[in-house]
Amino acid sequence: MRSGHLGRWAAVAGALLLTGACAQSTGVAGVSAQSPETVPPAATGPTPVVTATIPDPDATTRASAEPPKGKSPVNVPPPRLSDYTYAFPVTGCQVSYQRRLLVLPKTTIWTGKGCTFVSPVSGVVDEVNTGDRWRAATDRGADREGRFVTVVGDDGVRYLGGHLDSVAAGVRPGVRVAAGQALGRVGTSGNARTQGPNLYFAISWKTGSSAWWVRRGMVNPWRYLDAWLSGNRTLSPREETMATRARLGETPRCQVQCSSKKPVKKREPRETPDPVITITVNPT
């Protein structure tokens, strides 16, 4: 009987072994039937160590945002256009002026009465007129600027400032002046008597005093006034002035506003003789 029990246990054990073998060979296609516990030891080993250099995100962003460092900038002065330094001829006041040719190559600088007229460049005073001889009845060309001062600059150019109210003390022919030095005060002398205060400003070259029409202006000045007023104090009219003198001659003929008015003589009222009264006496 004991041997019978052993036979049955052997049969059960054999059946179990056969069932386990079949279970390992079956399963869904593409899906392993092996449980996690049966993963080969190689698959469950330590995680491999990856060696690499990963940049700091903040450092990368910072490098792309910041420009590369360079040397300090070098201050380069603006190019000098001449060897002379100029000053705008009116200082301390607001100004406006014409930028087109009207009658003569000159301009009228409108400003307040008493504003300071200064020398546009260093040079020597050439002519000074402290009296106002202009008369509307004659309108003589030589008197139209009223009180005026001319300066022959170190650049060889003559500058005129007219319609002055007064001439500065000590300003006389032959006196050396510096650019920006006061020469007089703006007014309404000359034929500006019926206008507002202004400075008659003209550019020419030195001639004799008898050629008054030359000093009244031979070169359009507003290009240079614009430069001096905006801070370009080296733009010089020398080249243009010398070229104009070479073309026209040192004393060109007067062509504009040359003649004066003839004074109109007032007629004296004619005396009317007393009427002759004839009395006839009839004889009695």
Side-chain angles (χ1 to χ4, degrees):
M1 179 159 179
R2 188 175 183 178
S3 59
H5 284 290
L6 291 174
R8 285 195 296 271
W9 279 110
V12 172
L16 290 173
L17 291 173
L18 180 62
T19 303
C22 293
Q24 291 178 2
S25 61
T26 60
V28 181
V31 179
S32 174
Q34 190 173 10
S35 65
E37 288 77 4
T38 59
V39 176
T44 59
T47 303
V49 177
V50 179
T51 303
T53 302
I54 302 175
D56 182 6
D58 295 337
T60 305
T61 305
R62 201 163 47 245
S64 62
E66 296 179 359
K69 295 183 178 180
K71 297 181 179 180
S72 300
V74 178
N75 295 324
V76 179
R80 292 182 63 85
L81 299 182
S82 72
D83 295 330
Y84 310 100
T85 301
Y86 296 88
F88 192 84
V90 175
T91 184
C93 296
Q94 292 185 343
V95 299
S96 62
Y97 50 91
Q98 299 164 334
R99 290 178 173 84
R100 60 193 178 97
L101 179 64
L102 295 178
V103 179
L104 294 167
K106 57 88 179 178
T107 194
T108 301
I109 302 178
W110 300 98
T111 188
K113 185 176 182 179
C115 293
T116 305
F117 162 53
V118 301
S119 179
V121 68
S122 296
V124 177
V125 176
D126 183 40
E127 297 173 282
V128 176
N129 182 29
T130 58
D132 187 2
R133 296 187 294 267
W134 183 79
R135 297 292 179 269
T138 56
D139 192 27
R140 292 182 66 244
D143 300 333
R144 289 188 180 114
E145 284 69 61
R147 299 181 184 91
F148 67 84
V149 176
T150 66
V151 172
V152 176
D154 293 341
D155 56 0
V157 178
R158 179 171 61 178
Y159 302 89
L160 164 70
H163 298 329
L164 299 178
D165 184 65
S166 62
V167 175
V171 174
R172 59 183 183 275
V175 171
R176 181 161 185 82
V177 294
Q181 182 174 333
L183 301 178
R185 299 286 181 180
V186 175
T188 57
S189 62
N191 64 354
R193 194 173 300 168
T194 59
Q195 306 171 8
N198 67 84
L199 180 73
Y200 185 110
F201 184 75
I203 295 176
S204 64
W205 52 87
K206 182 176 173 60
T207 56
S209 58
S210 60
W212 51 265
W213 55 90
V214 176
R215 72 167 179 248
R216 299 193 73 211
M218 302 300 294
V219 174
N220 293 332
W222 43 84
R223 173 191 172 199
Y224 306 101
L225 291 174
D226 287 346
W228 304 340
L229 186 61
S230 63
N232 181 356
R233 300 183 61 193
T234 65
L235 185 64
S236 175
R238 173 179 171 79
E239 183 177 349
E240 184 180 1
T241 303
M242 297 301 108
T244 304
R245 184 178 69 174
R247 185 176 72 253
L248 300 179
E250 184 173 336
T251 310
R253 184 172 58 88
C254 181
Q255 296 182 345
V256 180
Q257 292 184 341
C258 303
S259 60
S260 303
K261 295 179 181 178
K262 293 182 179 180
V264 178
K265 294 182 178 180
K266 293 183 179 180
R267 294 183 178 182
E268 296 293 335
R270 298 179 63 181
E271 293 184 0
T272 303
D274 294 334
V276 177
I277 301 176
T278 304
I279 299 176
T280 303
V281 179
N282 295 325
T284 55

